[in-house]
Amino acid sequence: MTLDLQLPDKCKILFEPHRYKVLYGGRGVAKSWFVARALIALTSSKRLRVLCCRELQQSIRDSVHKLLSDQIIAMGLDGFYDVQNAVILGANGSEFSFEGLRYNHTKIKSYEGVDIAWVEQAERVSKASWSTLIPTIRKEGSEIWLTLNPDLEDDDAYQRFVARPPKNAAVVEMSWR
């Protein structure tokens, strides 16, 4: 099966092995849309466990669940995925789960076997939440993907992943152009 992902060349990093993959830029440049499509393509071809998180998530409505389910339909893969209220399951055993970070440190620490953690609105993630999440995503070859709209240069995520990125990080600035 060939998928037309409609991704710009800058997003090729999403299909390369990097511990950290960072897409940052202003609002309205479709960073989240591109990440959702890439994750759907990857999970449809290989069994992966994906944790989708953000700093605050009071309900599933606050997550990227709707974005992923809309993109699954747009990509013609609604027969492959079982979109449930709080989880999305692929026919090959792939799984998307959704969590808030700030009030779930203990729950996040118990996640096992995550292949990819997608951190949406990463500019809002606290230092304490990073201290919980990063060591939790420890499976061999696991990755942490970030989408962020930098608000302030002193935001922890901006300093940690854009201004002074760690080794094995692919960092791409996105713009409407």
Side-chain angles (χ1 to χ4, degrees), residues 31-150:
K31 298 176 298 294
S32 301
W33 192 85
F34 298 141
V35 166
R37 292 180 77 80
L39 286 172
I40 291 164
L42 289 169
T43 57
S44 69
S45 64
K46 181 180 179 184
R47 182 181 184 198
L48 295 170
R49 187 170 189 205
V50 179
L51 172 62
C52 302
C53 48
R54 61 191 318 136
E55 181 71 357
L56 294 174
Q57 181 178 306
Q58 299 297 323
S59 72
I60 201 71
R61 294 181 62 108
D62 297 332
S63 73
V64 293
H65 183 279
K66 177 71 172 147
L67 171 62
L68 286 163
S69 61
D70 287 348
Q71 290 304 313
I72 286 167
I73 293 167
M75 294 169 71
L77 292 170
D78 43 321
F80 181 82
Y81 289 96
D82 179 13
V83 178
Q84 300 178 7
N85 287 336
V87 70
I88 298 174
L89 305 172
N92 63 357
S94 287
E95 175 187 331
F96 289 89
S97 54
F98 306 87
E99 295 293 343
L101 297 171
R102 180 173 290 172
Y103 302 114
N104 293 315
H105 285 217
T106 301
K107 187 173 184 183
I108 295 297
K109 287 179 183 179
S110 69
Y111 265 85
E112 184 65 36
V114 172
D115 296 291
I116 299 171
W118 174 17
V119 184
E120 172 70 338
Q121 294 184 340
E123 73 277 5
R124 306 260 188 258
V125 176
S126 68
K127 191 176 227 172
S129 292
W130 287 120
S131 295
T132 300
L133 181 66
I134 291 171
T136 298
I137 310 305
R138 61 187 172 274
K139 182 177 177 182
E140 182 74 30
S142 61
E143 300 177 344
I144 299 174
W145 297 20
L146 293 79
T147 47
L148 68 143
N149 304 324

Side-chain angles (χ1 to χ4, degrees), residues 8 24-34 149 174-177:
Y24 77 99
R27 292 183 57 214
V29 298
K31 298 176 298 294
S32 301
W33 192 85
F34 298 141
N149 304 324
M174 304 291 291
S175 73
W176 63 272
R177 293 174 200 238

